[in-house]
Amino acid sequence: MAGHAIPHFQNDAGHAAIEIGVKEFMCVGANPPQDHPHVFLDMGDDSEKVCPYCSTLFRYNPALKATETKPEGAVYHHQAA
């Protein structure tokens, strides 16, 4: 993904699994201030990855864009202070 921003995902709703359209991403847990350390995750050759902090299961779905998730609403948007 050289030259592209790494997508960030959050799980405020507490979903057990979230489908995403990328294999390299950041998980923030819930939205701040309930977030955990923003951790970089890479699925490599796998199609699933569990966040070691919040235990959210992320599943790769090639039909989704980098800014889409299933269920919807799990893309994290940084809010300026």
Side-chain angles (χ1 to χ4, degrees):
M1 291 190 55
H4 301 294
I6 300 293
H8 288 55
F9 299 103
Q10 56 80 23
N11 191 5
D12 276 344
H15 299 292
I18 298 173
E19 293 181 30
I20 59 176
V22 294
K23 288 192 163 197
E24 295 178 351
F25 59 97
M26 299 284 285
C27 180
V28 303
N31 278 310
Q34 287 79 32
D35 56 336
H36 60 55
H38 298 193
V39 60
F40 176 78
L41 300 172
D42 185 347
M43 291 184 196
D45 292 333
D46 297 330
S47 60
E48 296 182 338
K49 186 76 167 183
V50 174
C51 176
Y53 286 97
C54 65
S55 300
T56 300
L57 173 64
F58 291 94
R59 288 191 181 118
Y60 177 62
N61 180 339
L64 296 174
K65 296 178 184 173
T67 57
E68 297 177 318
T69 63
K70 284 187 182 178
E72 292 181 3
V75 174
Y76 172 71
H77 299 284
H78 177 72
Q79 302 294 320

